C-alpha cells in the first residue's frame, strides 16, 4: 500500500491462495503505481479472483497487466460461488478498468466461461488488448461464443487459444472472425492455436500453430506487448516523437502540446517520461512500463 516505486511484481511459483490474493487486492485499492502483477502457478481460487477483479473494477485504474496462469480459479463446484465467479468475470472484462493483458491460461476455464467472456467483450467499455486462454477445456462451443463477442469488440488484438479442445469446426469460426475483424478495420493480429484438435489449422486465416505465447514473468508479458504494439520510448530529448508511434486502446481524442517522448497514435497526445522505465500519455493518461 505504501510502496510507490514498484511497478512490476512477480510472485510466481509460490503458495499464494485466496487470502493472500485478497490482501493484494486490498492493497491495489490504494496503490496507484503498480502496472504489472503476476501470480503464475499459485493457489488462487474463486474467492481470490473475485476479490482481485472487484478491486480492479471498483477502485484501481493503474494495473495494466494481470497474469493468473495455472491457478484453480474455475474449479469450484458450489453453485452460488460459481454464479458469483462468472458474474465477476463478466464485469472484469465488460466494465472500465486499465487492464490491457489478462492471463487466464490453465485455470480450468471452459465453455461456460467463454460464453461469459464473449458477451462481456461486446461492451464498448472493454479495455483488453491481449487475452490468454491457453491450456483450458475450451471446445468449439466456447470458441463460437467467444468469436461472437470478438466480432463486436474493438480492442482485443492478441488471443492465445493454444492447447484446448478446438477442432476444424472451431478453427473455421475463428478464421471467419479474423476475416470479419479485418474487414471492419480492427484486426485480430495474432491468434495462437498450437496443440488443438484441428487437423491442419495452418490453412485457416490468422491462426498461428507453430508457436505459442510463453512467458515466465510479468516483465516478459510487458516486453512482448510493447514489441507487438511498436511502443519504443525515446532515450533522449532530441528524439523525434513522430517516429515512435504507439498503438493503444481507443481513448478520447485530445490536443496537447508537444513534449519529449513518443506519440500516442490513439489520442494524438504525447508520452512524457515519468521515470526511467515508465511513460504516460498526456492526452489519455495511460501509463505503460517498459520493464
Amino acid at each position: 500500500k505504501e510502496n510507490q516505486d514498484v511497478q512490476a511484481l512477480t510472485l510466481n511459483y509460490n503458495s499464494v491462495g485466496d487470502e493472500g490474493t485478497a490482501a493484494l487486492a486490498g492493497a491495489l485499492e490504494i496503490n496507484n503505481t503498480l502496472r504489472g502483477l503476476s501470480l503464475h502457478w499459485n493457489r488462487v481460487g474463486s474467492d481470490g479472483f473475485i476479490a482481485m477483479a472487484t478491486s480492479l473494477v471498483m477502485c484501481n485504474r493503474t494495473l495494466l497487466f494481470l497474469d493468473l496462469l495455472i491457478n484453480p480459479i474455475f474449479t469450484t463446484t458450489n453453485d452460488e460461488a460459481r454464479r458469483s465467479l462468472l458474474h465477476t468475470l463478466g464485469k472484469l472484462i465488460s466494465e472500465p478498468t486499465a487492464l490491457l493483458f489478462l492471463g487466464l491460461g490453465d485455470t480450468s476455464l471452459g465453455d461456460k466461461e467463454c460464453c461469459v467472456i464473449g458477451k462481456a467483450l461486446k461492451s464498448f467499455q472493454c479495455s483488453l488488448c491481449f487475452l490468454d486462454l491457453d491450456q483450458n477445456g475450451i471446445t468449439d462451443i466456447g470458441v463460437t461464443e467467444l468469436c461472437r463477442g470478438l466480432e463486436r469488440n474493438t480492442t482485443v488484438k492478441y488471443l492465445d487459444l493454444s492447447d484446448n479442445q478446438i477442432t476444424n469446426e472451431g478453427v473455421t469460426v475463428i478464421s471467419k472472425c479474423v476475416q470479419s475483424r479485418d474487414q471492419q478495420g480492427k484486426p485480430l493480429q495474432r491468434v495462437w492455436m498450437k496443440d488443438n484438435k484441428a487437423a491442419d489449422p495452418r490453412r485457416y486465416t490468422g491462426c498461428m500453430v507453430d508457436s505459442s505465447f510463453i512467458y515466465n514473468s510479468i516483465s516478459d508479458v510487458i516486453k512482448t506487448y510493447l514489441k507487438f504494439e511498436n511502443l519504443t520510448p525515446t532515450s533522449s530529448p532530441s528524439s523525434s516523437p513522430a517516429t515512435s508511434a504507439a498503438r493503444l486502446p481507443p481513448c478520447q481524442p485530445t490536443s496537447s502540446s508537444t513534449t519529449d517522448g513518443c506519440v500516442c497514435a490513439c489520442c494524438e497526445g504525447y508520452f512524457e517520461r515519468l521515470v526511467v522505465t515508465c511513460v504516460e500519455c498526456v492526452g489519455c493518461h495511460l501509463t505503460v512500463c517498459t520493464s
Side-chain angles (χ1 to χ4, degrees):
K1 294 180 180 180
E2 297 178 0
N3 191 299
Q4 298 297 311
D5 297 318
V6 175
Q7 297 175 3
L9 180 61
T10 296
L11 298 174
N12 298 345
Y13 310 107
N14 284 294
S15 300
V16 180
D18 288 340
E19 184 177 353
T21 306
L24 289 169
L28 286 174
E29 293 180 4
I30 300 173
N31 182 282
N32 61 4
T33 56
L34 193 67
R35 304 297 185 250
L37 174 62
S38 180
L39 292 169
H40 185 127
W41 209 321
N42 277 279
R43 297 177 181 175
V44 182
S46 58
D47 289 345
F49 177 82
I50 289 172
M52 179 62 67
T54 301
S55 174
L56 296 181
V57 171
M58 300 298 295
C59 303
N60 186 279
R61 289 293 180 270
T62 54
L63 193 74
L64 303 176
F65 305 89
L66 177 61
D67 166 30
L68 295 171
L69 182 70
I70 314 180
N71 280 284
I73 294 172
F74 300 100
T75 58
T76 180
T77 57
N78 181 282
D79 289 342
E80 184 177 350
R82 189 160 185 78
R83 282 194 295 271
S84 179
L85 179 60
L86 293 178
H87 176 70
T88 305
L89 173 64
K91 290 185 66 175
L92 178 62
I93 295 172
S94 66
E95 297 196 11
T97 69
L99 277 185
L100 299 178
F101 172 88
L102 179 60
L104 293 175
D106 202 350
T107 55
S108 298
L109 182 148
D111 290 339
K112 288 185 178 180
E113 288 76 20
C114 273
C115 290
V116 172
I117 293 172
K119 183 178 180 180
L121 286 173
K122 297 176 183 178
S123 170
F124 72 94
Q125 298 183 107
C126 175
S127 64
L128 286 181
C129 181
F130 202 138
L131 183 59
D132 179 8
L133 302 176
D134 75 309
Q135 301 181 69
N136 282 297
I138 302 170
T139 72
D140 297 341
I141 296 172
V143 161
T144 299
E145 295 301 319
L146 188 65
C147 285
R148 285 175 180 168
L150 285 169
E151 286 188 6
R152 292 177 56 182
N153 179 273
T154 61
T155 60
V156 174
K157 291 187 283 185
Y158 310 104
L159 176 65
D160 192 351
L161 289 170
S162 301
D163 201 3
N164 278 284
Q165 305 296 315
I166 303 167
T167 70
N168 286 352
E169 182 180 348
V171 177
T172 299
V173 173
I174 295 170
S175 181
K176 290 180 178 178
C177 178
V178 170
Q179 294 178 51
S180 175
R181 288 279 299 257
D182 284 344
Q183 292 169 1
Q184 297 175 58
K186 46 181 182 180
L188 273 170
Q189 296 186 2
R190 291 173 185 256
V191 181
W192 289 271
M193 289 293 301
K194 186 179 181 181
D195 295 332
N196 273 279
K197 294 191 173 183
D200 186 15
R202 291 175 180 83
R203 65 190 179 91
Y204 294 94
T205 301
C207 298
M208 301 177 62
V209 297
D210 296 325
S211 63
S212 57
F213 180 61
I214 301 174
Y215 53 95
N216 295 310
S217 70
I218 200 63
S219 294
D220 291 342
V221 174
I222 295 173
K223 289 175 182 177
T224 301
Y225 172 80
L226 293 172
K227 178 182 177 181
F228 286 166
E229 292 296 281
N230 299 317
L231 175 57
T232 308
T234 55
S235 57
S236 66
S238 60
S239 300
S240 172
T243 63
S244 304
R247 295 156 55 204
L248 296 166
C251 53
Q252 192 68 27
T254 184
S255 59
S256 59
S257 58
T258 301
T259 62
D260 294 327
C262 308
V263 173
C264 174
C266 282
C267 70
E268 299 180 321
Y270 291 86
F271 283 107
E272 59 183 358
R273 189 168 299 281
L274 298 179
V275 295
V276 174
T277 58
C278 202
V279 289
E280 180 182 24
C281 176
V282 299
C284 62
H285 303 295
L286 179 60
T287 306
V288 176
C289 300
T290 61
S291 65

